[in-house]
Amino acid sequence: MKIYRLLTEEDTSAFCHKVSLALSKGWELYGSPTYAFDAANGVMRCGQGVTKEVDTPYTPDMKLGQQ
């Protein structure tokens, strides 16, 4: 089964590290990254979808970051 996550972070190196960590754990990029202004916090934010094949059935209480 394929699971999906959307990684988000302020536009700093922390975002690149978050995506790199997911890739190192077997996640694959899904689609193009996104970039938008977060008016509530006055910062730019980045987002990137990632997917991963897992051998367990999906449940809503899965901890996707631990897969």
Side-chain angles (χ1 to χ4, degrees), residues 7-64:
L7 305 175
T8 63
E9 185 67 52
E10 288 185 20
D11 182 22
T12 66
S13 63
F15 174 72
C16 295
H17 288 287
K18 185 182 277 192
V19 173
S20 295
L21 177 61
L23 294 174
S24 75
K25 292 182 175 184
W27 291 84
E28 296 180 3
L29 298 177
Y30 180 83
S32 299
T34 186
Y35 191 64
F37 183 66
D38 176 354
N41 295 301
V43 297
M44 294 300 290
R45 294 191 65 83
C46 301
Q48 175 65 59
V50 292
T51 61
K52 184 176 183 180
E53 286 288 335
V54 296
D55 292 331
T56 58
Y58 173 77
T59 62
D61 60 333
M62 287 178 94
K63 302 293 184 196
L64 297 175

